[in-house]
């Protein structure tokens, strides 16, 4: 119930206007977002790197509605790649296709995506394409395949375990040696396309993680790169301890070396677990968002955990 409400709010213009107008909003948002500027994200990456944790920088933004905005976002992502190069942090970038023109025109989107992966390749860096709601799953996979077909293999994708179709997608992507980040899924989806029960989403997560792990062994996929930019093929994005433990067991049974699988988590969530896994010798990557377009990202984080809402309300009344 609460989850659906917050996902609805994440898209509601009226709610965005109210929340972004709150003078104390940033105090709450800063738990999940590293800052408004690229320098803030680079600084957060340096702090993570010092703890042995790699990073993926996300210049926040989605659902751009004009070609100018989409080009501006493309320029901002290219600037992030340059910032990584200049500072020498162990980081790659994560992007959303709706940020660079998908909802305007797929041709514009592929042009912008090609510019980003091409720039990343010149810098020997990697681009992860986030997955948005199920209306764009197929086109997102298609566009990633299209840039890979142009010879850019420095691009990976995200697959969501709540979708029924994902097992089929994962099997095909592994056979094509595409880097996959596996997450549970953060959008509101109908029961016609996604498992409605959390229990089934978790079960699907374990099954898909196992397919990725076995696929990485079968195809002798590379380990995380020494500079921390290129992930291994299986990127397991979750804060769910049970899923993480299951994946560790599956990797051990398949004889996948620790460095050939990475755990990924979000900035500000379960820092203890991030550090614990890094100390155990697993590659860990933290998704570090930054920028002024934090509203929908923040609302999805509230949707995931109702306890965050009480945290927000207590801040409101303490003002
Ligand atoms: P689950 O929701 O079961 O949470 C397990 C535990 O983690 C909770 O009990 C709590 O302790 C902690 N936790 C989880 N969320 C929290 C929060 N918001 N605040 C505080 N604690 C929290 N989704 C998507 O649709 N497309 C994408 O591209 C991505 N990309 C992505 C990258 C990375 C690196 C991560 C970690 C996640 C994503 N996601 C995503 C989001 C993902 O789909 C999912 O919504 C969240 O990760 C929460 O699910 P968990 O797997 O953590 O499990």
């Amino acid at each position: 119930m609460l989850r659906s409400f917050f996902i609805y709010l994440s898209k509601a213009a009226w709610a965005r206007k109210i929340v972004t107008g709150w003078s104390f909003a940033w105090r709450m948002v800063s738990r999940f977002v590293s800052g408004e500027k690229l320098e803030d994200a680079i600084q957060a990456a340096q702090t993570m790197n010092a703890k042995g944790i790699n990073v993926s920088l996300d210049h926040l933004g989605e659902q751009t509605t004009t070609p100018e905005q989409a080009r501006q976002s493309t320029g901002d992502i290219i600037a992030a790649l340059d910032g990584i190069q200049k500072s020498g942090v162990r980081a790659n970038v994560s992007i959303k296709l709706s940020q660079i023109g998908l909802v305007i025109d797929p041709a514009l989107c592929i042009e912008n995506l090609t510019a980003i992966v091409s720039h990343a390749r010149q810098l020997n860096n990697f681009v992860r394409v986030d997955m948005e709601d199920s209306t764009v799953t197929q086109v997102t996979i298609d566009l990633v395949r299209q840039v890979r077909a142009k010879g850019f293999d420095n691009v990976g994708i995200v697959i969501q375990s709540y979708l029924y179709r994902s097992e089929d997608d994962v099997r095909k992507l592994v056979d094509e040696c595409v880097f996959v980040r596996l997450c549970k899924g953060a959008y509101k989806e109908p029961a016609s396309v996604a498992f409605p029960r959390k229990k089934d989403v978790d079960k699907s997560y374990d099954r898909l993680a196992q397919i990725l792990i076995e696929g990485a062994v079968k195809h002798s996929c590379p380990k995380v790169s020494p500079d921390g930019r290129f992930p291994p093929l299986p990127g397991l994005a979750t804060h769910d301890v049970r899923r993480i433990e299951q994946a560790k067991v599956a990797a051990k049974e398949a004889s996948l070396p620790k460095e050939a699988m990475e755990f990924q988590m979000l900035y500000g969530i379960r820092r203890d677990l991030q550090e614990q896994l890094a100390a155990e010798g697993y590659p860990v990557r933290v998704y570090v968002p930054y920028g002024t377009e934090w509203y929908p990202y923040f609302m999805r984080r509230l949707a995931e955990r109702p306890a965050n809402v009480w945290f927000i309300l207590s801040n409101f009344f303490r003002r």
Side-chain angles (χ1 to χ4, degrees):
M1 250 295 263
L2 214 48
R3 178 172 186 270
S4 305
F5 179 59
F6 276 96
I7 291 177
Y8 157 73
L9 288 184
S10 73
K11 293 182 180 159
W14 64 267
R16 182 183 188 122
K17 203 164 165 215
I18 295 173
V19 175
T20 54
W22 285 342
S23 56
F24 65 103
W26 182 253
R27 204 150 34 102
M28 303 177 308
V29 173
S30 61
R31 183 183 161 194
F32 302 108
V33 176
S34 63
E36 294 203 331
K37 300 199 174 74
L38 173 60
E39 300 86 77
D40 300 322
I42 297 283
Q43 204 173 32
Q46 284 163 337
T47 307
M48 298 286 164
N49 288 174
K51 294 177 180 168
I53 293 172
N54 296 324
V55 162
S56 192
L57 295 189
D58 167 32
H59 181 256
L60 290 165
E62 51 198 90
Q63 304 292 326
T64 50
T65 51
T66 67
E68 293 71 33
Q69 282 174 351
R71 288 202 182 94
Q72 173 67 47
S73 294
T74 303
D76 290 337
I77 295 161
I78 287 175
L81 286 162
D82 289 337
I84 292 169
Q85 184 72 9
K86 200 166 150 213
S87 61
V89 287
R90 299 168 60 87
N92 57 38
V93 294
S94 289
I95 69 170
K96 287 188 172 48
L97 293 189
S98 76
Q99 183 179 18
I100 58 165
L102 185 63
V103 284
I104 307 164
D105 175 9
L108 170 71
C109 183
I110 194 89
E111 185 189 311
N112 289 336
L113 179 61
T114 306
I116 293 166
V117 293
S118 159
H119 193 78
R121 191 166 69 180
Q122 281 169 29
L123 301 177
N124 193 33
N125 211 330
F126 174 83
V127 178
R128 174 79 65 181
V129 176
D130 286 354
M131 189 56 82
E132 301 177 69
D133 69 51
S134 64
T135 61
V136 295
T137 306
Q138 189 58 51
V139 69
T140 302
I141 295 175
D142 290 346
L143 295 193
V144 167
R145 282 204 175 105
Q146 273 185 43
V147 278
R148 288 179 61 87
K150 289 185 190 177
F152 296 107
D153 56 4
N154 59 327
V155 57
I157 200 163
V158 178
I159 293 292
Q160 299 149 323
S161 74
Y162 62 17
L163 295 184
Y164 304 134
R165 59 173 288 164
S166 290
E167 179 163 349
D168 195 35
D169 288 332
V170 163
R171 288 192 187 282
K172 288 182 187 142
L173 291 164
V174 168
D175 283 341
E176 296 163 33
C177 281
V178 181
F179 302 88
V180 174
R181 171 197 294 153
L182 180 64
C183 68
K184 291 188 188 178
Y187 297 83
K188 173 94 189 102
E189 298 292 356
S192 54
V193 299
F195 296 106
R197 293 187 312 173
K198 183 172 170 13
K199 200 173 94 186
D200 296 319
V201 177
D202 289 348
K203 215 165 120 192
S204 167
Y205 194 99
D206 293 342
R207 187 167 58 246
L208 300 183
Q210 178 145 14
I211 296 169
L212 288 172
I213 288 165
E214 289 169 358
V217 173
K218 184 174 162 199
H219 297 289
S220 309
C221 295
K223 297 176 179 172
V224 63
S225 66
D227 61 8
R229 291 175 171 185
F230 280 74
L233 184 139
L236 303 179
T238 183
H239 316 89
D240 184 337
V241 179
R242 288 203 184 145
R243 308 286 73 74
I244 291 169
E245 288 308 318
Q246 277 290 124
K248 284 184 187 171
V249 171
K252 206 166 175 200
E253 282 175 5
S255 303
L256 184 74
K258 281 185 177 174
E259 308 77 26
M261 166 177 92
E262 109 181 339
F263 291 110
Q264 302 186 356
M265 294 187 211
L266 299 176
Y267 179 82
I269 301 181
R270 294 299 315 258
R271 294 187 191 108
D272 55 334
L273 189 56
Q274 297 167 12
E275 290 176 26
Q276 181 199 316
L277 288 166
E280 286 173 25
Y282 290 101
V284 177
R285 188 174 305 275
V286 169
Y287 186 98
V288 175
Y290 69 98
T292 53
E293 297 295 306
W294 47 260
Y295 177 76
Y297 180 86
F298 175 56
M299 284 294 148
R300 288 197 292 273
R301 300 299 74 85
L302 296 188
E304 279 157 6
R305 193 158 183 259
N308 288 336
V309 180
W310 303 120
F311 167 79
I312 300 306
L313 287 177
S314 63
N315 264 282
F316 181 83
F317 289 115
R318 256 195 270 126
R319 230 161 21 120

